[in-house]
Amino acid sequence: MPFELLDLGRARIVPFANRHLGQRYVGWLNDPAVVRYSEQRHRRHDFASCEAYFRSIRASGNLFLAIEAKDPAIGHCGNMTASFDPPNRTCDLSIMVGEAAARGTGIGSMAWCAMVDWLLGPGGQRRVTAGTMAENRAMLALMAKSGMTVDAVRPRAFLVDSHEIDLIMAVRFATP
């Protein structure tokens, strides 16, 4: 089923579009606080690299989504990516709330939970997975809030500031 829009009340999730591709988004990817627990922390981004990523995701059949707060003072505040494994009806989901004004408001949490529910319902997936670094307490709490459970730990998978960090993988299954 194609994705069009999820209305969350105070925000909505929409397909990422050219209007989202701008310096605000590029700035998030170059902000060490935003990408601290992301592999994006190893890269420097510019408009061209972000545009290439947008085009590649769109061409792949995966979803690249924008989170838009309905408060115009916040607006486009984050992104989500849903990477599909169609033969297995599995999807790996990720999120980035880049706009500082949106952090701590619950918009990211609403978006994540709504997207997990959509993927396991109308989205036709039987399994949704996500992963994060063991130090990323906010993401661990978000995965738990959405009904995901830890299904794997990959010890010492990452180096952050010269510290070895475990990768925590979580899963939620569609109810039969």
Side-chain angles (χ1 to χ4, degrees):
M1 167 178 272
F3 183 87
E4 293 180 19
L5 175 135
L6 277 178
D7 191 320
L8 310 172
R10 296 184 303 130
R12 64 187 192 155
I13 305 170
V14 299
F16 191 94
N18 285 328
R19 72 179 184 275
H20 301 110
L21 192 57
Q23 287 309 310
R24 174 182 254 197
Y25 169 46
V26 174
W28 299 340
L29 291 172
N30 291 318
D31 181 340
V34 173
V35 297
R36 176 163 175 74
Y37 298 113
S38 166
E39 288 301 276
Q40 298 304 315
R41 72 187 187 280
H42 302 297
R43 299 176 182 90
R44 185 83 185 141
H45 292 277
D46 57 23
F47 183 83
S49 68
C50 291
E51 183 176 38
Y53 178 73
F54 169 44
R55 305 273 177 247
S56 73
I57 292 289
R58 193 163 60 179
S60 72
N62 293 318
L63 293 177
F64 189 29
L65 306 165
I67 305 166
E68 298 176 339
K70 291 186 181 173
D71 177 347
I74 299 174
H76 176 214
C77 57
N79 299 325
M80 301 177 81
T81 305
S83 301
F84 296 99
D85 175 359
N88 291 305
R89 291 184 33 233
T90 294
C91 177
D92 191 68
L93 188 61
S94 63
I95 187 171
M96 173 180 66
V97 177
E99 193 59 34
R103 287 187 227 130
T105 66
I107 289 173
S109 178
M110 285 189 315
W112 180 267
C113 292
M115 198 64 207
V116 169
D117 289 345
W118 184 87
L119 287 164
L120 293 172
Q125 301 303 296
R126 65 176 190 83
R127 184 175 181 263
V128 174
T129 62
T132 194
M133 294 181 197
E135 288 187 356
N136 190 349
R137 295 189 195 330
M139 187 64 200
L140 292 170
L142 187 56
M143 292 187 304
K145 182 176 183 174
S146 68
M148 299 179 104
T149 56
V150 173
D151 75 334
V153 176
R154 295 186 185 148
R156 303 165 57 184
F158 298 103
L159 280 174
V160 176
D161 301 328
S162 301
H163 294 98
E164 294 176 329
I165 308 292
D166 294 349
L167 169 63
I168 309 296
M169 297 296 300
V171 65
R172 182 170 143 199
F173 294 94
T175 51

